[in-house]
Amino acid sequence: MQREKVLGVTLSQFFQEGNSENLTEKQKEVLGIWNDLSTNEQETVMSMLRGLRK
C-alpha cells in the first residue's frame, strides 16, 4: 500500500472538502467522525492507524 494512503484514499482525497461523491459510505462516516475530533484526538487516531499498518 502506498505510504500516503489511508482508508483506501490518498490523504489529499481524504481531506478534500466538498468532494465526497467518490467515497464509500464507510469512508464518509469516518470523515464525518474525523471532522468532529479535536486536533489531539486526530493525532491519536493517526497513531493508531499507523500502528495497524503492516
Side-chain angles (χ1 to χ4, degrees):
M1 176 165 28
Q2 289 182 335
R3 184 181 174 116
E4 68 274 3
K5 285 226 176 187
V6 175
L7 301 174
V9 295
T10 65
L11 289 177
S12 61
Q13 290 170 321
F14 185 79
F15 291 108
Q16 191 174 34
E17 292 185 34
N19 187 15
S20 62
E21 65 267 5
N22 294 326
L23 298 177
T24 67
E25 288 304 313
K26 284 184 182 183
Q27 290 169 330
K28 289 177 187 177
E29 180 183 7
V30 170
L31 186 55
I33 294 168
W34 176 267
N35 288 336
D36 291 336
L37 298 177
S38 69
T39 300
N40 286 339
E41 291 169 329
Q42 289 175 354
E43 290 173 6
T44 299
V45 170
M46 289 304 298
S47 293
M48 291 175 9
L49 289 171
R50 288 181 188 113
L52 292 172
R53 189 177 358 170
K54 296 181 180 186

